[in-house]
């Protein structure tokens, strides 16, 4: 079944929210940048009892920090998705083949310590910032990326969590940039781009 309406969702969120696994979801009003997770669970788009999805129990708090400990954070509530990004910029920022991200709303994140911000303008050569990449200015650990065109949607870097045992990515983006030796089985959604 397809989503009954396609509005207010963009990029990875659109693919997660509006994929074939979603049934009759009530999309948020334009002022609400992410879907109501209770509605998603009630309508069947996310099986709350499934062990192969990276959706955390409501009210759960996740904590994390940078390498040197100068920056720490708490992420509360459910994440929208756990997504792998294979784009060139995430590869460069992470120093690895991809970045693993907990996609959430900015209101869910509380940060202690000072973050430095890099305005990523993408590959088009223009001055428009698409992603604000925030990291510890002391040790360089990436903590969170603000996705500028998605009204409050953030991507918390999963590798900075104090406990990564519950991380199970279900979405991957920018597969056209994926390293040829990377094979990630079990993805619900795989996108050539974002």
């Amino acid at each position: 079944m397809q989503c009954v309406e396609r509005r207010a969702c963009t990029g990875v969120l659109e693919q997660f929210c509006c994929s074939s696994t979603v049934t009759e979801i009530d999309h948020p009003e334009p002022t609400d940048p992410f879907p109501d997770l209770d509605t998603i669970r009630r309508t069947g788009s996310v099986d709350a009892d499934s062990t192969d999805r990276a959706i955390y129990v409501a009210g759960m708090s996740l904590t994390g920090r940078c390498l040197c400990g100068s920056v720490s954070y708490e992420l509360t509530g459910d994440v929208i998705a756990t997504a792998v990004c294979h784009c060139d910029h995430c590869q460069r920022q992470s120093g690895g083949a991809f970045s693993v991200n907990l996609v959430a709303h900015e209101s869910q994140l509380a940060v202690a310590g000072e973050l430095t911000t890099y305005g990523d303008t993408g590959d088009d050569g223009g001055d428009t910032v698409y992603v604000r990449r925030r990291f510890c200015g002391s040790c360089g650990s990436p903590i969170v990326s603000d996705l500028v065109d998605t009204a409050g949607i953030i991507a918390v870097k999963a590798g900075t969590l104090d406990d990564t045992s519950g991380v199970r990515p279900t979405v991957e983006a920018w597969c056209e940039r994926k390293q040829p030796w990377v094979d990630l089985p079990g993805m619900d959604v795989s996108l050539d781009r974002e």
Side-chain angles (χ1 to χ4, degrees):
M1 291 184 198
Q2 286 295 323
C3 188
V4 294
E5 255 188 288
R6 286 185 185 252
R7 65 179 178 97
C9 294
T10 60
V12 171
L13 180 58
E14 178 179 4
Q15 295 301 322
F16 178 74
C17 177
C18 299
S19 70
S20 61
T21 61
V22 177
T23 58
E24 298 184 20
I25 180 172
D26 292 328
H27 281 273
E29 292 302 314
T31 57
D32 187 2
F34 61 99
D36 175 3
L37 294 174
D38 290 332
T39 300
I40 292 172
R41 287 202 177 106
R42 187 178 67 250
T43 60
S45 66
V46 175
D47 179 357
D49 297 323
S50 176
T51 58
D52 64 344
R53 297 204 186 263
I55 301 297
Y56 293 91
V57 177
M60 181 172 237
S61 174
L62 302 170
T63 59
R65 63 180 177 81
C66 66
L67 183 61
C68 72
S70 295
V71 175
S72 60
Y73 65 85
E74 181 177 20
L75 183 65
T76 57
D78 294 332
V79 297
I80 296 168
T82 300
V84 170
C85 184
H86 300 281
C87 80
D88 293 339
H89 291 225
C90 280
Q91 289 182 42
R92 288 184 190 279
Q93 183 191 34
S94 70
F98 51 82
S99 176
V100 181
N101 305 287
L102 301 174
V103 181
H105 188 264
E106 63 188 6
S107 64
Q108 295 175 256
L109 182 66
V111 177
E114 190 172 331
L115 291 172
T116 301
T117 301
Y118 171 73
D120 191 340
T121 57
D123 291 329
D124 66 4
D127 294 332
T128 302
V129 172
Y130 295 102
V131 178
R132 287 185 294 267
R133 297 181 182 275
R134 301 196 172 171
F135 56 95
C136 173
S138 296
C139 67
S141 296
I143 302 295
V144 62
S145 293
D146 298 333
L147 310 174
V148 174
D149 290 335
T150 57
I153 300 300
I154 59 171
V156 176
K157 304 304 178 180
T160 63
L161 288 170
D162 291 328
D163 179 6
T164 59
S165 64
V167 176
R168 301 279 185 279
T170 57
V171 177
E172 61 181 335
W174 286 98
C175 292
E176 70 180 23
R177 304 285 190 183
K178 186 185 333 186
Q179 294 294 322
W181 49 267
V182 172
D183 181 29
L184 301 174
M187 293 290 155
D188 291 342
V189 178
S190 293
L191 307 168
D192 285 340
R193 298 183 67 104
E194 182 179 42

